[in-house]
Structure formats: structure tokens, C-alpha cells
């Protein structure tokens, strides 16, 4: 079966791509995720924005089933997480690169693709071209620059054409021109029915998302388009909205 | 279990190793170098001719005096330097302390009377006790001369504390390597594979690739199987190389003018190399999974190295490589009996020295124990790999 990007998965109808109910994750005294209820419709790009330590990575790990919720539950495509089989339909770009230093870009990609059941070379070649690493396919990950390793990691997250894609700070270290290309591709994926959940701690990418979830200290401060959030807070930029929305209600 | 994923993981491990030339050298070349070095030392070291003194403490006995004469003659015929140290124990002691003599043979009081009854007390052999293995080698030299030359009445061979004959199972001259090589092969099958798996898996845990791996639909069992398969490939090559190097030998022919060159140790082996291989493979399978399991308890590669004195050295000391299990202190014998290396060494000796086949009860027990521990470690390793990590 071909798993090219052009073939959209059937629309998931009314089932949310991701649904969290009363989600709590504590590490001892730290409340990394502190009561999150969230339902995300498919076919859109969601930005999870928040400063370092606000719980973005923990939230994504809960959604992928890699962390166990202290309280509450998560469903992805209607399936309660953790679910091993559903992982075949999920793409996950970790915040660390998760690449094997000794292996070449191609070997890294081929390994993860094989685990997802992708054995054709064509989809591998396609994602490698997308992240502009086709000419470095033989280079060991160790010898790639930090930004190139991020790109390789992104290629690994997309190679099996997943329906729900979690990207944890995907554009860190990627130069601006390529960033623009990434976002254009994210948009194509969303148009084809994929759901993207992209975390970031830089606000200038927010306008490219269909919807934002502002996170602070493990709680959702607000949700909406960038414009809506700015209006609601009455501030000209999102940084301001962050500060304003984070204040206790007088 | 999805075989494609298992193969993909095994292939990744092979790819990683092929890139890492030093680790390749460690598992393929280092064992051969160590075996070669050991073969050289054990076979070609000549114990310096020990200076020998014979002291008869059983002075009044004519039979003792006759034995003393026979021993003296044997030493003289062997062209070993014979030293006079006096007629009593303190004098002999002083001579040893002053390093005027290397080996003193004491005929104890009552020796002559015992000889008449056919049950003489053993000869006492005293060395300087400074350099353990040298002393042993010197005693060995002395005993070998005595064993060949003693014109003693029948039954008196038992006065020698130990046998100097080679293993009766293997034809040819006695060869210290023959009994040592199986132990070393077992040791290598464990050491390198354990260290390399533990470090690979630690890197996987710490470097974030395990998290990435667990975000794919791979099963825990597939991870364990993939790792085991990947390392089994290297273990197989390693063991084949070691066995080939140990068992086969080629050297320049006798009439050759150029320098004498020998390749391979040519150790005589009585049993089937395939059975030896089976023992090592089972042992290595356990070692891979022990490595995965123990990597959970380390945070850094330095902490993996700390397993060497904890896991590897005790097995080396107690596992029968140097001393037999039966000769260990009673309290340590049960400890040795639960160590996998004990059974690997015993099994390899059973095959290579005694020439045992699968009908041997001992070999059956060894294989069963190794298979059992391999299964145990597979289960433990699997239990430490969890998708919901925290
Ligand atoms: N495995 C863990 N053990 C203990 N504390 C953790 C762990 N993972 C995350 N935390 C804590 O949870 C909080 C949220 O972390 P994280 O989700 O990584 O935030 P972000 O990705 O937004 O920077 C932090 O205070 C962090 O120290
Ligand atoms: Mg993070």
C-alpha cells in the first residue's frame, strides 16, 4: 500500500482528533499538567504556546501515550491512549532529536519507517526532499548541524503519513527560509485532513496556526485564533495577551 | 510479534556497529589478541630452574633416608641446582627467607613408618611464597622430575601432592591452554556483549531515541528480540573467530629458513565445536538481556563501567575460570552455583576437554541452566522497557 502524502485518510467525521478530559500529570510536587480539558477537531493546525516549563512536552507525551496521566484521560481519533496500535497513525517529533548519531540520515529514516511498516523507498525520498536533506542522505547524524538534525527528525515524524502529528518545537534551529517552507507543508497536510499539534515557545509562529492554546504552569490560559486572543486581552501582541490572560481575575 | 520490526531493529544495531570500528575491534580482535597472549605466556614461559633442597625430618628412619636419596638423585638427574640448607625446619625456613633456595621438600616425621604401612603422610613442599604463580610453576617443575624418576615401591605415587599428568581425555602432551581456553571463550562470550549492550541501551534511554522508538507501534517483545538478534549476529561471528583461532593452528614447517611464524593456537579439543558454540550462544543471549536490564540502573556510561566489579569480576573469580567450584570455600559455592558463567565454563570444558555430547548429564544441566537464565533475563529486560515511561 502506498502511503504518499497525496492520499488523504478518510475524514474522521465528528470524532475529535484529540480529546483530553480532566488531564493532570504530577511529578512529585510539580504539577506539570494541571487539569486540562481540550477537544481538537481534525484537519487543523493547533499551536500550543507557552514558556519553558509550562507543560507543553508533558502534554504531548500524555497525548501520545508515552506518559501516564495522574488523573483524567486522553483519546486520539476516539481511541483511549495509551494504544500501541494507534501509534501507527500518529507522528511524533520529539523535542530532543531522537536520532542515532552513528547512522546516516537515510539509515535513521529507514529504521523508523520500517517500524511504521513503510518499506518502499519512495516515501522516504519524498520526506527527505521536503526537509532538504536529500543531498546529505549518507551523512551520519553526528555530522549534521543542529538544524539539519531537527529536519531529519521532522522527516522521521512524517514518513508514514500519520493522521495526527505532534511536533514539539519543530522549528528550533531551522533557518527562516526553510521555516516558511515547513509551515507551507504543514498547511498542505492540514488541507489534506491531517491534524497538527505544534508546540512552540516563540510567539511569531502563532499567526500561522488555525487555533492557539496558551499554556502556563500546566493550565490552559486561553484558546482561539491569534487575533481573538489579542482582542480578548486588549493587547497588540501575544506576549501581552499572555501576561494579561495570566493575571488573576480582579 | 512482527518479524519486520525485529529485523529492522537488528539491522539498525548491525549498521551502528559497522560504523563503530573501535567497538568492532573490541569484540573481534581483542579476544584473539588476549588468547594469543595467554597461549604464548602459558606455553613458552620457562620456569627458571628452581634451586631445590631436600630435608629429611624423619632422621631415624632408614626408609625415609632411602626416599631422600632417591629424591636427591632425581633432582640431580634433572640438572636442577641442589642446595644444602641444614637438617631441620628452622634452618630450611631461614634459607627460604634469605632466598638461598626456591623449593624445599620436607620429609615429615613418621614418613618412614607410614611408608611401611602403605600410607605415608604427604611430602611437604615449601616455597618462598612471594610470587604465587612462579612458585607454582617451580613446584610443578620439581614434581614433574620426581614423578618421572622416583624408584619407589608401588602405590607411593600418592605421596605427591598433585598430579602432573595432562588431561587423559585429549591425546598428546599436556597443554595448560586446553583446560583454560574453554573458560576464556565463555568469559569473552559474556564480557564484551554485556558491556556493549548495556552501553547501547543506556544511550537509547538517555539519548531520547528510546522515547522515539516507543512512539512507534513496536512491541516490547520486538525490542528485546531485535536487540538479541542484532547482538547474536556479532556474538556468532565473535565465537566463530575465537573457536577457529583457538582450535586450528598453522605454523611454518620445520625445515623453513625464515622466521618461525604460527597462526592459531591449535588447542586440542575433544568435542564438537558446534556444541561449544551452542553453549556460548545461549550464554550470550542471557548476557544481552542482562545488559538491557541493568542499563536501567545506570544514568551514565561511567556507571555502566561500575558493573564490571559488581557483575563481571565476581563471576570471573568464582565461576570456575581459575579454581574449580568444589575447591571454593563452602560459603561461596552456592554463590558460584547461581552464576551463569559457572555453567558456561563447565559446559565448554565438558565439551572441549571431556568431549561430551548431548547425552552428558552435566552438559544437559549446563544448557538447561543457561537457557533458564536467558529466559529470566529476557523477561527482566522486557519488564524494564515500558511505553508509559513516567
Ligand atoms: N520526567 C520528569 N520528572 C520530573 N519532572 C518533570 C519531568 N518532565 C517534566 N517535568 C517537569 O514538568 C514541568 C513541565 O515540563 P515540560 O512539559 O517539559 O515543559 P515545556 O515542554 O513546556 O518546557 C517542568 O517543571 C519540568 O521540570
Ligand atoms: Mg518542552
Amino acid at each position: 500500500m502506498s502511503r504518499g502524502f497525496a492520499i488523504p485518510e478518510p475524514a474522521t467525521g465528528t470524532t475529535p482528533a484529540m480529546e483530553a478530559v480532566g488531564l493532570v500529570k504530577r511529578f512529585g510536587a510539580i504539577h506539570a499538567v494541571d487539569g486540562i480539558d481540550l477537544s481538537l477537531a481534525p484537519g487543523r493546525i493547533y499551536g500550543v504556546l507557552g514558556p519553558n516549563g509550562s507543560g507543553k512536552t508533558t502534554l504531548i507525551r500524555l497525548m501520545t501515550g508515552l506518559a501516564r496521566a495522574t488523573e483524567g484521560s486522553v483519546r486520539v481519533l476516539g481511541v483511549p491512549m495509551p494504544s500501541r496500535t494507534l501509534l501507527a497513525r500518529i507522528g511524533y517529533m520529539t523535542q530532543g532529536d531522537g536520532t542515532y548519531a552513528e547512522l546516516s540520515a537515510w539509515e535513521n529514516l529507514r529504521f523508523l519507517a520500517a517500524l511504521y511498516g513503510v518499506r518502499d523507498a519512495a516515501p522516504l525520498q519524498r520526506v527527505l526532499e521536503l526537509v532538504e536533506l536529500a543531498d546529505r542522505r549518507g551523512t551520519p547524524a553526528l555530522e549534521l548541524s543542529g538544524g539539519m538534525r531537527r529536519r531529519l527528525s521532522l522527516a522521521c515524524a512524517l514518513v508514514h503519513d500519520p493522521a495526527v502529528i505532534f511536533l514539539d518545537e519543530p522549528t528550533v534551529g531551522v533557518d527562516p527560509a526553510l521555516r516558511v517552507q515547513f509551515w507551507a507543508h504543514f498547511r498542505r497536510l492540514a488541507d489534506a485532513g491531517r491534524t497538527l499539534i505544534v508546540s512552540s515557545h516563540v510567539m511569531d509562529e502563532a499567526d500561522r496556526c488555525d487555533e492557539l492554546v496558551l499554556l502556563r504552569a500546566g493550565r490552559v490560559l486561553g484558546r482561539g485564533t491569534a487575533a481573538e486572543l489579542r482582542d480578548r486581552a486588549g493587547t497588540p501582541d501575544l506576549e501581552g495577551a499572555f501576561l494579561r490572560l495570566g493575571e488573576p481575575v480582579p | 510479534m512482527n518479524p519486520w520490526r525485529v529485523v529492522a531493529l537488528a539491522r539498525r544495531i548491525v549498521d551502528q556497529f559497522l560504523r563503530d570500528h573501535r567497538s568492532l575491534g573490541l569484540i573481534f580482535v581483542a579476544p584473539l589478541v588476549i588468547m594469543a597472549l595467554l597461549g604464548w605466556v602459558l606455553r613458552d614461559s620457562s620456569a627458571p630452574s628452581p634451586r631445590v633442597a631436600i630435608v629429611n625430618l624423619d632422621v631415624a628412619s632408614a626408609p625415609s633416608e632411602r626416599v631422600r636419596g632417591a629424591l636427591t638423585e632425581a633432582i640431580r638427574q634433572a640438572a636442577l641446582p641442589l642446595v644444602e640448607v641444614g637438617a631441620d625446619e628452622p634452618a630450611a625456613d631461614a634459607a627460604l627467607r634469605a632466598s638461598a633456595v626456591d623449593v624445599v621438600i620436607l620429609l615429615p616425621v613418621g614418613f618412614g613408618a607410614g611408608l611401611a604401612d602403605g600410607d605415608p603422610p604427604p611430602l611437604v613442599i615449601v616455597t618462598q611464597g612471594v610470587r604465587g604463580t612462579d612458585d607454582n610453576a617451580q613446584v610443578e617443575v620439581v614434581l614433574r622430575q620426581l614423578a618421572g624418576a622416583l624408584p619407589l615401591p608401588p602405590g607411593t605415587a600418592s605421596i605427591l601432592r598433585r598430579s602432573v599428568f595432562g588431561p587423559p581425555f585429549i591425546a598428546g602432551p599436556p597443554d595448560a591452554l586446553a583446560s583454560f581456553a574453554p573458560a576464556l571463550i565463555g568469559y569473552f562470550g559474556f564480557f564484551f556483549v554485556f558491556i556493549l549492550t548495556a552501553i547501547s541501551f543506556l544511550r537509547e534511554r538517555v539519548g531520547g531515541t528510546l522515547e522515539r522508538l516507543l512512539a512507534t507501534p513496536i512491541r516490547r517483545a520486538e525490542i528485546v528480540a531485535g536487540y538479541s538478534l542484532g547482538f547474536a549476529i556479532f556474538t556468532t561471528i565473535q565465537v566463530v573467530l575465537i573457536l577457529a583461532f583457538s582450535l586450528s593452528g598453522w605454523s611454518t614447517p620445520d625445515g623453513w629458513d625464515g622466521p618461525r611464524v604460527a597462526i592459531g593456537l591449535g588447542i586440542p579439543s575433544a568435542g564438537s565445536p558446534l556444541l561449544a558454540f551452542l553453549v556460548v550462544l545461549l550464554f550470550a543471549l542471557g548476557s544481552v538481556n542482562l545488559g538491557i536490564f541493568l542499563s536501567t540502573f545506570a544514568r551514565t556510561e561511567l556507571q555502566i563501567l561500575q558493573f564490571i566489579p559488581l557483575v563481571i569480576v565476581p563471576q570471573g573469580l568464582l565461576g570456575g575460570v581459575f579454581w574449580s567450584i568444589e575447591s571454593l570455600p563452602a560459603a561461596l559455592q552456592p554463590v558460584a552455583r547461581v552464576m551463569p558463567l559457572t555453567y558456561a565454563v563447565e559446559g565448554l570444558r565438558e565439551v572441549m576437554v571431556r568431549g561430551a555430547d548431548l547425552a552428558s548429564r552435566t552438559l544437559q544441566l549446563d544448557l538447561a541452566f543457561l537457557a533458564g537464565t536467558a529466559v529470566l533475563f529476557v523477561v527482566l529486560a522486557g519488564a524494564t522497557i515500558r511505553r508509559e515511561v513516567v
Side-chain angles (χ1 to χ4, degrees), chain B residues 371-390:
Chain B
T373 45
V375 169
L376 173 71
F377 292 146
V378 163
V379 170
L380 287 177
T384 62
I385 304 169
R386 264 170 306 160
R387 186 154 264 117
E388 306 150 69
V389 186
V390 278

Side-chain angles (χ1 to χ4, degrees), chain A residues 147-177:
Chain A
M148 288 176 179
R149 273 202 297 275
R150 291 307 284 152
R151 281 143 62 184
L152 175 58
S153 183
L154 176 65
C156 293
L158 299 179
V159 70
H160 56 303
D161 189 23
V164 182
I165 303 160
F166 297 97
L167 305 173
D168 200 352
E169 313 219 7
T171 54
V172 172
V174 176
D175 52 62

